[in-house]
Amino acid sequence: MNRLIAVFLLAGATQATPVAIAADVVGNPAAAPAKIEMCIGCHAIPGYKATFPEVFQVPKIGGQNARYIEAALKAYQKGDRKHPSMKGIAVSLSDQDIADIAAYYAKQK
């Protein structure tokens, strides 16, 4: 009987407690043009090679999967991917910015 009362009390307490649920951020490609100025300088130049911190071929990101772009930018934010310039850019972006940029480049060819 005591267990039954405890269950009802617990159930009532959880009903009154607000629960925050994170909503998925939906990318808007139309909002991206004002956010991609930093990307164009490297990623829009065919055959471009960056020289900092070392020489490497910069990938073209037009047509890339949006989820991949989002994951890559978030990895730069966290430091899981190592590139000082990309980290500097990524940490300045909100989740909505990242989703918008990813949606924009996913629609490119």
Side-chain angles (χ1 to χ4, degrees):
M1 181 71 159
N2 287 340
R3 284 186 184 175
L4 186 58
I5 293 171
V7 168
F8 284 122
L9 289 174
L10 184 59
T14 58
Q15 294 294 331
T17 305
V19 178
I21 299 173
D24 287 334
V25 178
V26 178
N28 177 5
K35 302 175 183 182
I36 60 168
E37 289 92 1
M38 295 179 285
C39 309
I40 293 171
C42 297
H43 292 285
I45 303 171
Y48 184 70
K49 293 183 181 177
T51 58
F52 180 80
E54 59 190 47
V55 176
F56 67 96
Q57 186 78 30
V58 175
K60 297 266 300 177
I61 56 177
Q64 184 62 264
N65 181 288
R67 296 237 183 242
Y68 175 79
I69 294 171
E70 287 180 32
L73 287 169
K74 289 179 181 184
Y76 283 117
Q77 281 181 330
K78 294 177 188 170
D80 294 340
R81 283 190 174 210
K82 310 288 185 211
H83 189 278
S85 297
M86 284 300 303
K87 180 174 176 69
I89 292 167
V91 298
S92 73
L93 301 172
S94 69
D95 287 345
Q96 185 65 60
D97 293 338
I98 289 172
D100 293 345
I101 291 166
Y104 175 85
Y105 277 110
K107 290 188 138 213
Q108 304 300 306
K109 294 184 180 184

